Amino acid sequence: MSTAHGTTTPPGVPGPRPWSADPYSDALVTGRGPLFLRRTDGWLLPLEVERWCARADAVDLTVLARCEGTVLDVGCGPGRLVAELAARGRPALGIDVSEAAVAHTARLGGQALRRSVFEPLPGEGRWDTALLLDGNVGIGGDPAALLHRMAQLLTPRGLLIVETLADVDVDERVSVHIVRVADPRSTAGPAFPWARLGTPALLRHAARAGWHREGQWSAGGRSFVALRNRDGRDGPDDRTDRDDRNSRSTSSAAEPPNSTAVINSQRARKPSPESPVANR
């Protein structure tokens, strides 16, 4: 599980942007850990920096194969998923509050914005697929608020793919014990709220928020849930909507919604030699 991608707080919850200049940004430069989430009571969670900074792996590819149409990667981190989609000609945008993460994504050939998911975004209500992977369902420390926001960003029958804790029923909202990213030298970034969810807890939150479970699976020790945005339209037109989406997803010429507002990374379409996408 990873939790260091694009963390921010929902509206009404005070807190600074946590990833401007801290151990997380330093780790993206080197592509190596160790790095941890550290809670005020001493609890530590190792973060998978090396995997995030590597090329999209076989498990990632099983997720990307399920994506439909335009893809929004929320908390994209160093951009391996956005870069992989771009390399395949798929329209995709990453968002992250970390300046280092957005820059890294652009170097790999992906498009990214330095933006919180709770701030105004390009193409609201017109994204076909959104991703909350690597622990990003914890963004803001309030899963209900985050799921509500994702429904606003997606099309009325859009697809949300969420990674959860593997095979455990955990519903931990870390608002009392605020967390920080820390390295072995005890250098720590700003504090922020966070959440951790197992699949059962996610499904409970999703049901209350009006999402429809479309599928769930595990691969490589990681667990995923696919949710369909009901948007109050659950009914006999489901199959027609799905056929329309599948038709849209076959078009490699499509552009992300409002793509002119996206950082132009055409200069990075030929990634640097050390980039994962270049090593094909």
Side-chain angles (χ1 to χ4, degrees), residues 27-28 30-35 46-55 57 78 80 276:
L28 294 192
T30 63
R32 298 191 304 273
L35 200 65
L47 302 177
E48 299 182 73
V49 176
E50 289 84 358
R51 180 170 68 80
W52 303 338
C53 290
R55 177 178 174 177
D57 61 22
R80 73 188 191 281

Side-chain angles (χ1 to χ4, degrees), residues 1-2 59-60 62-64 66-67 72-74 81 129-139 143-144 146-148 150-151 154 158-167 170 194-207 209 211-219 222-229:
M1 170 191 155
S2 103
V59 177
D60 294 328
T62 67
V63 173
L64 299 185
R66 294 175 180 252
C67 292
L72 179 68
D73 185 4
V74 175
L81 303 176
T129 303
L131 303 176
L132 285 173
L133 304 187
D134 301 327
N136 285 327
V137 70
I139 287 174
L146 182 59
L147 288 170
H148 175 72
M150 301 309 296
L154 287 167
L159 182 69
L160 174 63
I161 301 179
V162 183
E163 183 171 355
T164 64
L165 295 176
D167 303 322
V170 172
W194 194 252
R196 298 196 308 148
L197 296 182
T199 299
L202 172 68
L203 293 175
R204 289 193 294 270
H205 284 289
W211 290 88
H212 171 69
R213 180 178 63 179
E214 183 138 309
Q216 64 186 81
W217 69 99
S218 297
R222 298 164 64 189
S223 295
F224 305 93
V225 177
L227 301 171
R228 187 66 70 181
N229 191 9

Side-chain angles (χ1 to χ4, degrees), residues 18 42 114 146 173 204 208:
R114 188 183 180 193
L146 182 59
R173 277 158 274 181
R204 289 193 294 270
R208 287 193 290 267

Side-chain angles (χ1 to χ4, degrees), residues 147-202:
L147 288 170
H148 175 72
R149 178 58 176 149
M150 301 309 296
Q152 294 176 333
L153 295 173
L154 287 167
T155 62
R157 300 294 296 168
L159 182 69
L160 174 63
I161 301 179
V162 183
E163 183 171 355
T164 64
L165 295 176
D167 303 322
V168 290
D169 190 2
V170 172
D171 189 349
E172 179 181 86
R173 277 158 274 181
V174 191
S175 56
V176 176
H177 297 292
I178 298 297
V179 298
R180 301 173 185 265
V181 170
D183 62 21
R185 301 184 304 275
S186 297
T187 305
F192 57 94
W194 194 252
R196 298 196 308 148
L197 296 182
T199 299
L202 172 68

Side-chain angles (χ1 to χ4, degrees), residues 228-247:
R228 187 66 70 181
N229 191 9
R230 284 179 177 169
D231 196 42
R233 291 180 50 200
D234 203 20
D237 58 342
D238 291 2
R239 183 173 299 174
T240 300
D241 288 346
R242 188 174 298 113
D243 290 343
D244 289 344
R245 280 192 310 276
N246 290 340
S247 175

Side-chain angles (χ1 to χ4, degrees), residues 230-271:
R230 284 179 177 169
D231 196 42
R233 291 180 50 200
D234 203 20
D237 58 342
D238 291 2
R239 183 173 299 174
T240 300
D241 288 346
R242 188 174 298 113
D243 290 343
D244 289 344
R245 280 192 310 276
N246 290 340
S247 175
R248 288 199 304 272
S249 70
T250 62
S251 172
S252 62
E255 291 294 330
N258 197 21
S259 60
T260 55
V262 177
I263 290 176
N264 186 342
S265 59
Q266 292 298 322
R267 53 175 168 63
R269 288 297 179 185
K270 296 178 71 175

